[in-house]
Amino acid sequence: MKKYLFSFITLACIVGFSSCEKEELSFTEGDIQIEIETGEHWLHDFPLLLGITKKNPPQFAIWLEDTAGNYISTVFATYKIATEGWQSNNGNRRKEALPYWCHQRGVVYEDGLLLPTKENPLADGITGATPKENKTLQLRLKSFNEPVVIKAEFNHSIDFNEFFPEDAKVGDANYSGGDMGSGQPAIIYAGTLNPVSNELELQIIGYSSPDGSNGNINTDFEKLTTSKTIVGKIKVTKK
Amino acid sequence: MKKIAFATALFALISFGVKSQNPNQVSARLSTNQFELGYQRKFIQQKIWGETYIGLGNQDINKNFDDVIAGLRIGTPIFKNEKNAIHLAAGIGLYFSNNDIYSLVMPVYSGFIAYNRYLGKSEKHSLLINLGYQYGKKDYKQEYSSADIYTATIGSFKVSPVYLSVGYGFHFK
C-alpha cells in the first residue's frame, strides 16, 4: 500500500508540475490576432431543474469572406454547433442557433439542413469549447493580397425578451424555436481588414433570422436587448 | 516526508477522542460528473484510512461518461456514533480526458467531508455522501491548417469545483 501510494503521489506530482507549463500563442509578423472580449451578458442563466440554473456561455462562429460576400473559411466554431453536440435536444438540430454562418458557409448535410452533424462535424482544429472568459485566436492567411472580411455570429439560447417571446408560434415572424429555442436571434459582427491596415474593431451589422429559416441580416436593433452585450469587443490586430 | 508526517499528525489530532471503527470498505459512488469504485483500508494507524478509486467522468468537452479518473484519498473520522460517522478527507487524482478535440492528463486535488450512515445492525453496509471542493485545470493548444488559413488558439479544461457524490459502502474485516 505504501509503495503504491508513493508511486501514485510521484506520478501525480510529475503530471502536476507539467500541467503548470503555460500554453501560449506565438505570433509572427503578418499574423492576425483576433481578441474576443466578453460582454455583460456573455454568461446566461440556463435552467437545469428545480430552479437550479447554470451559467452558459454563447454559441459562436468566426469566419472569413471576401469583399463580394463569398465564404472563405471558418476560423473557430463552438463545439455544440460544430459537432451537433447539444445535450438532451431530442433531435432538435437548433437551426436558429447560428443561421447566418450556416447559410454563408452553404454546406448542406444529409437531412437538408446547413448544420454540421455528429457524423460529419467541423474539423477538430477549428472546433472548441465555448470559453467562459475572453478568447484569443491566431490567424495566418496563406495569401493576403486582397482585403478580407472577418465575420462573427453569437447566440444564447432562451434569452427571450418582449419582441422574441417564449410563446411565439411557429410561422410568427418572431418565432425563435419554441420554449427551448433561441429567444433573441443571433447577433452578427463584421469588419474588413486590408493588407495595409493594422487594427480593426468588428461592428454589429445586424441579427439573423429568428427561426433560422434564411440567411438574411435584420437591422431593427431596437428589438434586441441583452444580446447586444453578449460581446464586449472584438479587436483584430495585424502583427 | 516532513509534510506527510505533519499531515498524519494533524489527522491523528483531529480524530482524537473519536471512537475507532472498521475503515475497511469497498464502495461505489455516483455524482452528476463521475462514477467511481473505491477500495478503502486502514492506513498508517487505526483512525486514518486510505482509499484508492477508479472510475469514469463526463466533464470534458463531449460530456460523455468516457473519461477515466483515478486517485487516492486519505481521511479520518471527526465524529462517530452508533449509526453515523463524519470524516474529513483529502485526495489527489488524475483525470484522463477522452474526446476528438484535445487529449490531456490533468491532476485533480480535492478536500471534502464524507458522511457515512450505517444501514442495519452489523455496520457492514453504509450510505455514503461526500461533499467538498476539487480543483483541476489545464490549458491546451489547438491548431488548424488548410489551403487558405492557419489558425491556433488556447483552450482551457477545468473540472467542476463542487464535488458531491452519493454511494454505497460494504465494510469488511
Side-chain angles (χ1 to χ4, degrees):
Chain A
M1 179 76 178
K2 282 178 191 170
K3 272 186 188 169
Y4 174 73
L5 175 71
F6 181 75
S7 309
F8 188 86
I9 289 175
T10 306
L11 176 65
C13 288
I14 291 166
V15 174
F17 289 134
S18 69
S19 73
C20 294
E21 289 169 15
K22 203 168 165 54
E23 293 280 5
E24 281 178 357
L25 297 174
S26 50
F27 290 89
T28 55
E29 195 180 336
D31 281 359
I32 297 161
Q33 177 177 281
I34 303 172
E35 294 170 285
I36 303 162
E37 219 173 84
T38 59
E40 187 188 347
H41 293 100
W42 182 261
L43 298 177
H44 180 70
D45 285 337
F46 188 86
L48 295 175
L49 74 163
L50 304 171
I52 300 169
T53 60
K54 183 186 171 197
K55 294 277 183 198
N56 262 3
Q59 291 300 302
F60 69 89
I62 297 179
W63 71 99
L64 306 176
E65 292 179 9
D66 64 21
T67 48
N70 298 307
Y71 172 87
I72 299 172
S73 175
T74 296
V75 176
F76 185 85
T78 46
Y79 183 79
K80 287 177 185 168
I81 191 92
T83 66
E84 199 191 348
W86 315 98
Q87 300 285 308
S88 311
N89 59 332
N90 298 320
N92 181 350
R93 300 261 280 113
R94 301 208 188 285
K95 62 179 181 159
E96 71 283 0
L98 301 177
Y100 182 63
W101 169 67
C102 289
H103 280 83
Q104 291 301 100
R105 190 166 162 261
V107 179
V108 182
Y109 290 83
E110 310 85 75
D111 56 1
L113 295 177
L114 297 160
L115 292 149
T117 60
K118 280 188 174 75
E119 293 75 27
N120 291 301
L122 220 60
D124 297 344
I126 48 173
T127 301
T130 317
K132 294 201 168 176
E133 297 157 355
N134 299 346
K135 177 91 178 160
T136 301
L137 299 161
Q138 178 184 2
L139 172 66
R140 190 176 301 150
L141 299 171
K142 299 283 172 78
S143 166
F144 192 18
N145 303 316
E146 300 290 328
V148 65
V149 182
I150 302 171
K151 287 187 175 174
E153 186 177 22
F154 296 81
N155 197 5
H156 267 306
S157 51
I158 68 161
D159 59 345
F160 300 102
N161 67 10
E162 61 176 304
F163 301 103
F164 299 99
E166 190 175 353
D167 58 4
K169 301 284 181 289
V170 180
D172 290 352
N174 59 357
Y175 176 75
S176 64
D179 62 348
M180 293 305 279
S182 171
Q184 295 169 70
I187 190 151
I188 307 159
Y189 289 75
T192 303
L193 189 68
N194 293 296
V196 290
S197 59
N198 288 322
E199 253 186 31
L200 167 71
E201 191 178 321
L202 303 195
Q203 302 297 323
I204 295 176
I205 59 166
Y207 66 85
S208 308
S209 160
D211 67 355
S213 58
N214 61 60
N216 297 342
I217 299 177
N218 304 286
T219 53
D220 40 347
F221 293 112
E222 68 281 358
K223 291 183 177 173
L224 302 181
T225 49
T226 56
S227 71
K228 285 190 282 193
T229 51
I230 293 173
V231 175
K233 190 168 28 170
I234 306 173
K235 194 177 158 193
V236 178
T237 312
K238 198 167 88 192
K239 298 287 184 182
Chain B
M1 200 62 200
K2 274 183 185 171
K3 282 180 184 170
I4 293 172
F6 176 76
T8 308
L10 182 68
F11 269 51
L13 190 67
I14 289 168
S15 61
F16 182 76
V18 178
K19 234 172 31 175
S20 173
Q21 61 163 26
N22 170 23
N24 298 340
Q25 165 186 282
V26 287
S27 62
R29 292 188 180 88
L30 182 66
S31 71
T32 53
N33 295 321
Q34 60 197 54
F35 168 74
E36 61 192 62
L37 298 171
Y39 174 75
Q40 180 180 305
R41 288 207 65 135
K42 181 184 79 173
F43 175 63
I44 302 176
Q45 56 136 295
Q46 183 62 32
K47 287 183 187 171
I48 298 179
W49 51 260
E51 183 189 50
T52 178
Y53 67 91
I54 189 160
L56 299 172
N58 71 345
Q59 298 204 52
D60 75 355
I61 195 167
N62 63 19
K63 304 293 176 199
N64 294 336
F65 263 100
D66 58 1
D67 312 327
V68 175
I69 55 166
L72 283 175
R73 298 178 177 127
I74 60 166
T76 190
I78 53 173
F79 168 81
K80 184 176 186 302
N81 64 21
E82 199 176 312
K83 282 280 176 194
N84 307 286
I86 297 173
H87 302 256
L88 193 62
I92 181 167
L94 294 173
Y95 197 104
F96 302 81
S97 70
N98 181 15
N99 63 73
D100 294 333
I101 310 295
Y102 54 81
S103 172
L104 49 84
V105 180
M106 180 178 75
V108 178
Y109 309 96
S110 60
F112 58 95
I113 301 282
Y115 169 70
N116 284 20
R117 170 76 181 179
Y118 295 102
L119 309 169
K121 288 179 183 172
S122 62
E123 290 195 1
K124 270 192 173 175
H125 309 278
S126 59
L127 168 74
L128 313 169
I129 299 173
N130 288 2
L131 174 64
Y133 171 81
Q134 61 181 4
Y135 176 81
K137 185 183 177 200
K138 194 165 182 180
D139 290 344
Y140 57 91
K141 188 174 185 178
Q142 283 183 267
E143 292 175 287
Y144 170 80
S145 191
S146 70
D148 298 312
I149 65 165
Y150 161 83
T151 182
T153 188
I154 305 295
S156 191
F157 172 51
K158 194 177 175 184
V159 292
S160 164
V162 178
Y163 172 66
L164 172 62
S165 70
V166 178
Y168 163 79
F170 174 77
H171 297 262
F172 63 91
K173 289 291 173 193

